[in-house]
Amino acid sequence: MNRPRVPARLLARESMPGITEALGSMDGWLLRDGAHWLVTRHEGVITVGRVAADPSRVLADRSLWTDPATDGSHTYCSPLPDGALALCSRQAVTVYEADGTARWEHRHTDWQHSPEAAGACTPDPAGRVLLATMAGPLGADGLSRGDICRALDLATGEVLAEHVLPSFSATYAFQQFPDARPEVLLTASMGQDGTECLLLAHTAAGLDVRAAGTAEEPYVGLGGHGVVVGQDVGGGYLCRTRDGADDVIVEAGEVLPEGRVFVGCTPGFVDDERILVVTAEELWAEEGIHVLLDAHTLRPHAEIDYPQAPGAAAIPLGDGTWLTRDEETVMRWTTTTTTTTT
């Protein structure tokens, strides 16, 4: 299968210990408050780095917090617009000030019989509330009626609204849209019970929750105008969905060389016209081929030609650049205007 190859041009590189493990976590890469963030954990310290708007740099700044999860359990972090940090564990949601002191803590029920379940949190795009998922109440039969999402006042932690989700005992992740839409996307992965993709918005009437079109994949990339691109957990297909438009679905066998599948967990928009995906011969491959697809049709534009073999992780930033990693170094790339065909 011949297609054009476009050279990648290195713009910047920066050491970030812990990035290898971070890109396997639900909060390792986040879109918050119009910016991209990397979140790492290394030697008891949580580092939150804001990706620079200047493409000649990787990070604009870093903030450090002591990791409270000393027992090795995982927590979900989310940077806040005022420089604070929200942290969601299995038992509590806590907001920490920039100096590390706790602003408030909201305790909640744990998933007693679901060790894989994990909550998530995000500020709403207006920056007034923290949306957080957690275990819901049990019925008289001892079974869950569904997990819940609460809207917590960012200043005080007061519960302002609550909604029972259609998901249960799930692993959650929040993403915001790049164009500051009032809704945020929540993915709820329930293992063999599938994935729920939900759009949440906090309004004067409470929490509005609805399905994100037909999206049902755990790995998603968000574009402008409410576009969601989902990648099948098995790497077999991609699906582009948006309210008011027909879905676009491509099977791996239609657009990739024989035997290759989509890998990694961060399909996303390099810019408004191009999506970046990674392909390999097996899901857990450590190296991959990076491919640019048309953002509307999901058909291939070109393969990316790197100076050295890239890994299986790529983070598109929406501004014509993207990130990869080499061990504990993060690198920022763009494409050149030169193309070749193989």
Side-chain angles (χ1 to χ4, degrees), residues 127-153:
R128 299 190 182 95
V129 304
L130 185 73
L131 303 175
T133 58
M134 57 197 72
L138 301 180
D141 56 2
L143 300 178
S144 171
R145 294 295 179 260
D147 297 333
I148 59 176
C149 181
R150 284 178 177 157
L152 307 171
D153 187 287

Side-chain angles (χ1 to χ4, degrees), residues 29 50 52 59 120 124 138 149 154 169 177 183 195 200 204 212 218 235 245 266 272 292 307 321:
W29 167 53
R50 179 167 58 90
L59 297 179
D124 74 324
L138 301 180
C149 181
L154 265 177
S169 300
F177 286 87
E183 296 176 312
T195 299
L200 277 69
T266 55
D272 291 341
L292 293 170
T321 72

